[in-house]
Amino acid sequence: MHRKNPLILIIQVLEKEVIITLQSERLGYGRVVLSNPDKVSIRRGVTVVYGENGSGKTTLGLILERGRYAYGNRLEFADDIRTVKMLSFTDIHTLSGMETQYYAQRLEATANDMVPTVGEILGPKLENKMCGELFGLLGLHSAEEKRINYLSSGELRKLLIINAMLEEPDVLVLDNPYIGLDAGSRDEFDSAMVSLRNRGVSVIMLLCDRTDIPAYADEVIRMDNLRISEEEDFSAADNGAETEEEEPFRVEDIPARPEGAHRECDVVFAIRDGHVRYGTKEIFSGLDWEVRRGQSWVLTGRNGSGKSMLLSLVCADNPQAYANDITLFDRKRGSGESIWEIKDSIGYVSPEMQLFFKSNAVVEDVVLQGMRTSLNRYRQATPEELREVEAWLRLLGIENLAGRRYADLSAGEQRMVLVARAMIKQPELLVLDEPLHGLDAARKRRVRAVTDAMTRRNGSALIFVTHYEAEIPECVTYTKSLSNIPEIR
């Protein structure tokens, strides 16, 4: 990604008008307090707030949107800055006005008759000329009739952005906006952001990975361990090098595979002439794919191509599996196996799963659930199980989260916990759907390294979904694409 000369950028920033000044040396929201010793200012244009997972970026966004007068905060806004709108992936529940209670329910047609379509959510906004322009800019075509729980994660993000833009805020705060967007959609998003800036809307992006900082960013604010500071020179973003030393990862640190994790099978998953449709909408058809034991695959496809729907068949979440010719672990689907038997042999994490996963349990208990069978998930932990959990938290570099409540974590920290939960039983099939999105660079490297080591040592099958070539683990040797257009970068 091409970036501006830092010296030119600094000159341009100095010329831009300050729209928000953070006057307090301490800024609070909820249970989190940020340090602001430099009393940082935000200028008109596109500002990036960059920091590792848990550094306080989301808290800063919430302060700008909702907390300017709370907790003793002192913020000064320019006279023309009246509305600040912040978006995160979880806003889809607020947008729809209702909440699906559990993950698999989003695919049960009879349970979702009342879930609104895109057109019903936008309502009169569809008549707004700007709405059509935004649909075109973001490439969200022919989506008006779709129910929102059938949208891909990338399509959901586009819908949220369009709805927010139609409210015409003075400042738009976007929490990890690139998550779930394919290569073409990222280009469309960037064009839309430049268009917004030209319309006079200031944009603040909260990003975890500095390699995501776009070329058109006017200013970068650095967050580190809940401290806010201005970034005078962010040319280091070009190489993505980390300044902090990371704890070395050793294959032998992976605990022994639990008893019963291995199933004697040859074909882990197969689908023949596969199809999924909802009403008159066909998601995909004529699909043939076979994943055998020990194989590592990357699954690709543009937003809306059907990747999530295909994975819902793999993971026994979609009732349309019974209308397809599917084999799971050498058994034809529908031949008497229970959904729970299938799930006990699969480790799975995805953006949609994280969206629906709600827990007030501490992190240790959430990860512990992953090593239990589905029907034995909530009994009291044994000392041996707790040691196993501690080992996996340490392996993934999140041992500091052990005693914290899952609900209090940042989105990136929650993603790491769910990855640990999926990996801890070292299953016969590991399905990682965009597992690295929303993670900082160091945590991306750690998840890739553990994925490589575990699959190679155990002979587990892997299905890995990503839109970024650099994220693909080294163990991957097979590719399945649901799109005729290459889209990985």
Side-chain angles (χ1 to χ4, degrees), residues 203-216:
V203 178
I204 300 174
M205 296 187 194
L206 312 181
L207 300 177
C208 294
D209 193 332
R210 57 185 163 192
T211 60
D212 285 337
I213 297 175
Y216 53 84

PDB file of all heavy atoms in Angstrom, residues 203-216:
ATOM      1  N   VAL A 203     -13.400  11.715   9.513  1.00  0.00           N
ATOM      2  CA  VAL A 203     -13.441  10.276   9.802  1.00  0.00           C
ATOM      3  C   VAL A 203     -12.310   9.932  10.757  1.00  0.00           C
ATOM      4  O   VAL A 203     -11.169  10.385  10.576  1.00  0.00           O
ATOM      5  CB  VAL A 203     -13.301   9.450   8.509  1.00  0.00           C
ATOM      6  CG1 VAL A 203     -13.298   7.960   8.832  1.00  0.00           C
ATOM      7  CG2 VAL A 203     -14.432   9.779   7.534  1.00  0.00           C
ATOM      8  N   ILE A 204     -12.635   9.142  11.777  1.00  0.00           N
ATOM      9  CA  ILE A 204     -11.630   8.628  12.711  1.00  0.00           C
ATOM     10  C   ILE A 204     -11.661   7.114  12.629  1.00  0.00           C
ATOM     11  O   ILE A 204     -12.690   6.496  12.896  1.00  0.00           O
ATOM     12  CB  ILE A 204     -11.911   9.087  14.153  1.00  0.00           C
ATOM     13  CG1 ILE A 204     -11.890  10.615  14.230  1.00  0.00           C
ATOM     14  CG2 ILE A 204     -10.882   8.485  15.118  1.00  0.00           C
ATOM     15  CD1 ILE A 204     -12.307  11.170  15.589  1.00  0.00           C
ATOM     16  N   MET A 205     -10.560   6.502  12.210  1.00  0.00           N
ATOM     17  CA  MET A 205     -10.464   5.046  12.108  1.00  0.00           C
ATOM     18  C   MET A 205      -9.680   4.495  13.287  1.00  0.00           C
ATOM     19  O   MET A 205      -8.582   4.975  13.584  1.00  0.00           O
ATOM     20  CB  MET A 205      -9.759   4.630  10.815  1.00  0.00           C
ATOM     21  CG  MET A 205     -10.469   5.006   9.545  1.00  0.00           C
ATOM     22  SD  MET A 205      -9.608   4.266   8.127  1.00  0.00           S
ATOM     23  CE  MET A 205     -10.368   5.178   6.793  1.00  0.00           C
ATOM     24  N   LEU A 206     -10.227   3.482  13.941  1.00  0.00           N
ATOM     25  CA  LEU A 206      -9.540   2.794  15.033  1.00  0.00           C
ATOM     26  C   LEU A 206      -8.955   1.510  14.466  1.00  0.00           C
ATOM     27  O   LEU A 206      -9.690   0.601  14.074  1.00  0.00           O
ATOM     28  CB  LEU A 206     -10.525   2.485  16.169  1.00  0.00           C
ATOM     29  CG  LEU A 206     -11.433   3.645  16.616  1.00  0.00           C
ATOM     30  CD1 LEU A 206     -12.338   3.198  17.757  1.00  0.00           C
ATOM     31  CD2 LEU A 206     -10.612   4.868  17.027  1.00  0.00           C
ATOM     32  N   LEU A 207      -7.632   1.414  14.395  1.00  0.00           N
ATOM     33  CA  LEU A 207      -6.960   0.292  13.740  1.00  0.00           C
ATOM     34  C   LEU A 207      -5.974  -0.387  14.680  1.00  0.00           C
ATOM     35  O   LEU A 207      -5.323   0.259  15.494  1.00  0.00           O
ATOM     36  CB  LEU A 207      -6.206   0.771  12.496  1.00  0.00           C
ATOM     37  CG  LEU A 207      -7.041   1.441  11.393  1.00  0.00           C
ATOM     38  CD1 LEU A 207      -6.130   1.928  10.269  1.00  0.00           C
ATOM     39  CD2 LEU A 207      -8.093   0.491  10.856  1.00  0.00           C
ATOM     40  N   CYS A 208      -5.855  -1.718  14.530  1.00  0.00           N
ATOM     41  CA  CYS A 208      -4.927  -2.507  15.350  1.00  0.00           C
ATOM     42  C   CYS A 208      -3.583  -2.728  14.673  1.00  0.00           C
ATOM     43  O   CYS A 208      -2.572  -2.894  15.352  1.00  0.00           O
ATOM     44  CB  CYS A 208      -5.538  -3.885  15.652  1.00  0.00           C
ATOM     45  SG  CYS A 208      -6.998  -3.824  16.681  1.00  0.00           S
ATOM     46  N   ASP A 209      -3.571  -2.793  13.357  1.00  0.00           N
ATOM     47  CA  ASP A 209      -2.364  -3.139  12.607  1.00  0.00           C
ATOM     48  C   ASP A 209      -1.939  -1.923  11.795  1.00  0.00           C
ATOM     49  O   ASP A 209      -2.675  -1.435  10.950  1.00  0.00           O
ATOM     50  CB  ASP A 209      -2.656  -4.326  11.678  1.00  0.00           C
ATOM     51  CG  ASP A 209      -1.387  -4.935  11.104  1.00  0.00           C
ATOM     52  OD1 ASP A 209      -0.384  -4.200  10.970  1.00  0.00           O
ATOM     53  OD2 ASP A 209      -1.402  -6.143  10.787  1.00  0.00           O
ATOM     54  N   ARG A 210      -0.733  -1.440  12.031  1.00  0.00           N
ATOM     55  CA  ARG A 210      -0.308  -0.210  11.354  1.00  0.00           C
ATOM     56  C   ARG A 210      -0.165  -0.390   9.852  1.00  0.00           C
ATOM     57  O   ARG A 210      -0.150   0.585   9.101  1.00  0.00           O
ATOM     58  CB  ARG A 210       0.983   0.316  11.963  1.00  0.00           C
ATOM     59  CG  ARG A 210       2.140  -0.637  11.966  1.00  0.00           C
ATOM     60  CD  ARG A 210       3.305   0.000  12.728  1.00  0.00           C
ATOM     61  NE  ARG A 210       4.290  -0.998  13.097  1.00  0.00           N
ATOM     62  CZ  ARG A 210       5.273  -0.762  13.954  1.00  0.00           C
ATOM     63  NH1 ARG A 210       5.362   0.418  14.518  1.00  0.00           N
ATOM     64  NH2 ARG A 210       6.135  -1.698  14.254  1.00  0.00           N
ATOM     65  N   THR A 211      -0.055  -1.624   9.367  1.00  0.00           N
ATOM     66  CA  THR A 211      -0.001  -1.834   7.924  1.00  0.00           C
ATOM     67  C   THR A 211      -1.345  -1.530   7.266  1.00  0.00           C
ATOM     68  O   THR A 211      -1.438  -1.440   6.042  1.00  0.00           O
ATOM     69  CB  THR A 211       0.409  -3.281   7.582  1.00  0.00           C
ATOM     70  OG1 THR A 211      -0.543  -4.196   8.142  1.00  0.00           O
ATOM     71  CG2 THR A 211       1.785  -3.598   8.128  1.00  0.00           C
ATOM     72  N   ASP A 212      -2.406  -1.357   8.061  1.00  0.00           N
ATOM     73  CA  ASP A 212      -3.715  -0.989   7.527  1.00  0.00           C
ATOM     74  C   ASP A 212      -3.891   0.522   7.384  1.00  0.00           C
ATOM     75  O   ASP A 212      -4.905   0.972   6.842  1.00  0.00           O
ATOM     76  CB  ASP A 212      -4.837  -1.519   8.440  1.00  0.00           C
ATOM     77  CG  ASP A 212      -5.053  -3.018   8.293  1.00  0.00           C
ATOM     78  OD1 ASP A 212      -4.688  -3.562   7.239  1.00  0.00           O
ATOM     79  OD2 ASP A 212      -5.577  -3.633   9.236  1.00  0.00           O
ATOM     80  N   ILE A 213      -2.940   1.309   7.884  1.00  0.00           N
ATOM     81  CA  ILE A 213      -3.082   2.769   7.798  1.00  0.00           C
ATOM     82  C   ILE A 213      -3.142   3.170   6.326  1.00  0.00           C
ATOM     83  O   ILE A 213      -2.210   2.904   5.562  1.00  0.00           O
ATOM     84  CB  ILE A 213      -1.917   3.479   8.501  1.00  0.00           C
ATOM     85  CG1 ILE A 213      -1.913   3.144   9.997  1.00  0.00           C
ATOM     86  CG2 ILE A 213      -2.016   4.992   8.302  1.00  0.00           C
ATOM     87  CD1 ILE A 213      -0.729   3.718  10.746  1.00  0.00           C
ATOM     88  N   PRO A 214      -4.236   3.810   5.883  1.00  0.00           N
ATOM     89  CA  PRO A 214      -4.374   4.124   4.459  1.00  0.00           C
ATOM     90  C   PRO A 214      -3.531   5.312   4.032  1.00  0.00           C
ATOM     91  O   PRO A 214      -3.149   6.160   4.841  1.00  0.00           O
ATOM     92  CB  PRO A 214      -5.871   4.439   4.319  1.00  0.00           C
ATOM     93  CG  PRO A 214      -6.271   4.958   5.664  1.00  0.00           C
ATOM     94  CD  PRO A 214      -5.437   4.198   6.661  1.00  0.00           C
ATOM     95  N   ALA A 215      -3.267   5.386   2.720  1.00  0.00           N
ATOM     96  CA  ALA A 215      -2.411   6.438   2.186  1.00  0.00           C
ATOM     97  C   ALA A 215      -3.010   7.825   2.384  1.00  0.00           C
ATOM     98  O   ALA A 215      -2.282   8.819   2.461  1.00  0.00           O
ATOM     99  CB  ALA A 215      -2.156   6.187   0.699  1.00  0.00           C
ATOM    100  N   TYR A 216      -4.341   7.899   2.473  1.00  0.00           N
ATOM    101  CA  TYR A 216      -4.985   9.204   2.553  1.00  0.00           C
ATOM    102  C   TYR A 216      -5.169   9.700   3.990  1.00  0.00           C
ATOM    103  O   TYR A 216      -5.803  10.739   4.218  1.00  0.00           O
ATOM    104  CB  TYR A 216      -6.353   9.157   1.855  1.00  0.00           C
ATOM    105  CG  TYR A 216      -7.254   8.046   2.332  1.00  0.00           C
ATOM    106  CD1 TYR A 216      -8.050   8.198   3.466  1.00  0.00           C
ATOM    107  CD2 TYR A 216      -7.296   6.829   1.668  1.00  0.00           C
ATOM    108  CE1 TYR A 216      -8.880   7.174   3.909  1.00  0.00           C
ATOM    109  CE2 TYR A 216      -8.118   5.796   2.106  1.00  0.00           C
ATOM    110  CZ  TYR A 216      -8.902   5.974   3.214  1.00  0.00           C
ATOM    111  OH  TYR A 216      -9.708   4.956   3.663  1.00  0.00           O
TER     112      TYR A 216
END
